[in-house]
Amino acid sequence: MAYPDPVAHDELATSFGDVADAYERGRPRYPPHVIDAIARHAGGGPRLLDVGAGTGRLSVPLLAAGFDVVAVEPLDAMRALLTEAVGPERALAGRAEALPLADADVDGAVCADAWHWFDGPRAADELHRVVRPGGGVVVCVLRQEWIEAGDGPIWWTRLGEILQPLWRAADHPHVTEPRRPEGLERHPGFAPLEVHEVRFDHAFDRDGMFAHHTSISVVAALPRPRRAEVLAELEAILDDHGVDVAEVPYVAELWVTRRLPAPAPPAGPPAAAS
């Protein structure tokens, strides 16, 4: 399938390179039961691809669970931390739309809350190329339950009042696009998508909370003076409410499919009767 040359990542997607350390400190870590669910759906063999791997939120626990992980990340600063975590032989430079892997090179693939930055059809084509027939593909999308239910504590609501205009002004994919991984659902080489939900709580301390908000793309992409102002407003809200630790509820929404085997070649003409 022919495509035009890829469009460069927009400012939001590349903003993480400027806040890689904050991303590593502040993003939720997947607890064992979430990792178990992801591994179960992606399983079929030991070699797993983590695409758009960031600093290794999935790569590290999957490696610890015994999988032969290969992690692909385009941003240099994020990949530097990924390399420290999983080793240079596992952390590869590359994009979802042009994976640096051979055909049928992995038994399955995972993606941790990054699909919305990809060109979905091109990424699906590449996964179809590198995942062996029968291999699972799991795209994880994190949802924050206080946001969805609208019943979080007052300080969380006040944080949202600062962030929501930034989300809308930036046309962030989580606001403007569906969560389901488009491209995969329309690809004839993958089974129909299933969705599974796994709930967990993540404990933030004060530093982690501040780092989390620093690493949000719509904050990270701001000019530095404006970013500092927004972060000062967020910190003032935490001060006002005496927030030093918080247990924040999340849902890991797992979009699951499987790479279908190639169709059998058409049967030849029947042999002529002798």
Side-chain angles (χ1 to χ4, degrees):
M1 190 178 296
Y3 291 100
D5 289 339
V7 177
H9 287 299
D10 62 21
E11 239 183 294
L12 288 179
T14 57
S15 67
F16 300 114
D18 197 33
V19 293
D21 288 330
Y23 188 102
E24 171 59 19
R25 294 197 318 274
R27 290 300 175 111
R29 298 184 184 276
Y30 298 98
H33 72 283
V34 178
I35 295 297
D36 288 347
I38 291 170
R40 184 171 66 252
H41 290 298
R47 185 163 167 81
L48 289 183
L49 164 66
D50 183 3
V51 59
T55 61
R57 278 292 184 264
L58 277 185
S59 296
V60 170
L62 287 171
L63 188 61
F67 287 92
D68 176 16
V69 177
V70 56
V72 173
E73 168 56 39
L75 299 179
D76 292 344
M78 300 284 273
R79 196 172 60 257
L81 296 178
L82 176 67
T83 299
E84 290 179 10
V86 301
E89 73 285 357
R90 297 185 183 276
L92 306 182
R95 298 177 293 108
E97 302 86 352
L99 293 168
L101 299 173
D103 294 355
D105 196 21
V106 294
D107 298 305
V110 299
C111 173
D113 216 30
W115 189 270
H116 52 284
W117 299 122
F118 304 162
D119 179 322
R122 296 183 70 168
D125 276 349
E126 278 292 88
L127 287 177
H128 187 264
R129 180 180 66 81
V130 305
V131 174
R132 294 172 189 143
V137 175
V138 180
V139 176
C140 180
V141 178
L142 282 189
R143 294 171 11 220
Q144 207 289 305
E145 288 202 287
W146 282 343
I147 293 175
E148 293 199 338
D151 62 355
I154 274 225
W155 60 269
W156 188 267
T157 301
R158 289 185 62 193
L159 294 179
E161 289 168 354
I162 292 173
L163 294 173
Q164 284 302 321
L166 299 178
W167 294 115
R168 289 193 297 269
D171 287 332
H172 189 281
H174 273 178
V175 176
T176 61
E177 299 175 11
R179 285 195 295 258
R180 61 189 300 120
E182 291 189 296
L184 274 180
E185 64 180 332
R186 297 191 181 97
H187 198 291
F190 288 100
L193 283 168
E194 301 176 359
V195 63
H196 304 267
E197 294 185 346
V198 188
R199 284 171 166 76
F200 69 98
D201 292 338
H202 179 72
F204 288 99
D205 60 16
R206 182 61 174 268
D207 177 69
M209 182 81 67
F210 190 74
H212 174 74
H213 287 88
T214 301
S215 76
I216 292 173
S217 62
V218 294
V219 176
L222 292 171
R224 286 177 181 265
R226 177 59 182 141
R227 186 198 307 173
E229 291 174 1
V230 168
L231 291 172
E233 292 178 59
L234 296 173
E235 191 163 31
I237 291 170
L238 299 178
D239 286 338
D240 288 348
H241 293 270
V243 179
D244 290 316
V245 294
E247 288 273 345
V248 181
Y250 283 89
V251 176
E253 191 175 84
L254 308 183
W255 292 91
V256 178
T257 184
R258 190 161 295 279
R259 202 277 208 193
L260 297 174
S274 57

